[in-house]
Amino acid sequence: MPYVEKGMQVGLFGGSFNPPHAGHSLVAEIALRKLALDQLWWIVTPGNPLKSTRELAPLAERIRLSEKITRNPRIKVTAFEASHHIRYTADTLALIRAKNPGVDFVWIMGADSLRDFHHWQRWRQIAMTFPIAVIDRPGATLSFLSSVVAKTFDYARVDEGDAPILAHMRAPAWTFIHGPRSLLSSTAIRQAAKK
């Protein structure tokens, strides 16, 4: 895990990053700015349990490409889940909390992920561990309101204007952050590479 100090606000941005692209970088930069983060951990996962690993590039390659496109020194590319043999986000967050007392974390996800979030293992536990910042993504702006998670935790939604203090809030707490959106997707990039 990257080095942090007590009192820091740190964003947790996990994904397969297969491959990483400018859309991921845009989400990271928006999160850093809007959430007033000291750091953002770009967590390259060994693999998403909900996705096929048939087209998954090797972890080392995805780390290398992630480091290549992340220019901000506050973005820390890491793949600690692999060394801890972690497959599920709930376990990742539990480990982070145990190893980093006194640090304020925010889980960051794209609005497209929120749509399927209720299929994640122990999704309620994830929402109760750290506050969540949902970053707008093309085609997902309105669908987030009808998601199972948005309905379940409607009472815990925080105004976007309070995003800079979200990390200090007790979970469950979440906000939706608007901003520039990128049409890039890892799936589209992989499909274009096959042609």
Side-chain angles (χ1 to χ4, degrees), residues 143-175:
S143 65
F144 88 91
L145 286 172
S146 61
S147 73
V148 172
V149 178
K151 289 178 179 177
T152 303
F153 290 102
D154 181 58
Y155 69 94
R157 185 170 177 201
V158 175
D159 187 85
E160 183 177 354
D162 290 327
I165 61 169
L166 184 65
H168 297 298
M169 295 181 181
R170 186 175 178 176
W174 68 281
T175 194

Side-chain angles (χ1 to χ4, degrees), residues 2 5 7 12-13 16 41 63 87 90 116 159-160 176-177 188:
E5 294 179 1
L12 304 170
F13 182 39
S16 302
W41 294 2
I63 292 168
R87 288 184 40 113
D116 301 318
D159 187 85
E160 183 177 354
F176 189 89
I177 296 178

Side-chain angles (χ1 to χ4, degrees), residues 9 27 32 54 64 66 71-72 83 106 138 145 178 193 195:
Q9 293 192 163
V27 166
L32 275 168
R54 204 173 62 239
R64 185 186 68 77
S66 293
R71 304 267 185 246
N72 192 319
S83 62
V106 177
L145 286 172
H178 298 85
K195 294 178 182 176

Side-chain angles (χ1 to χ4, degrees), residues 19-55:
H21 54 70
H24 294 132
S25 294
L26 181 62
V27 166
E29 292 293 339
I30 290 170
L32 275 168
R33 189 176 70 254
K34 297 265 185 132
L35 297 167
L37 300 174
D38 297 301
Q39 279 186 19
L40 180 137
W41 294 2
W42 179 293
I43 305 169
V44 184
T45 65
N48 183 333
L50 296 176
K51 294 180 181 177
S52 168
T53 57
R54 204 173 62 239
E55 295 181 353

Side-chain angles (χ1 to χ4, degrees), residues 121-151:
Q121 187 183 72
R122 293 176 279 149
W123 62 274
R124 284 183 174 87
Q125 181 182 334
I126 295 168
M128 300 297 287
T129 303
F130 294 131
I132 298 173
V134 181
I135 311 294
D136 200 3
R137 291 277 295 139
T141 304
L142 297 176
S143 65
F144 88 91
L145 286 172
S146 61
S147 73
V148 172
V149 178
K151 289 178 179 177

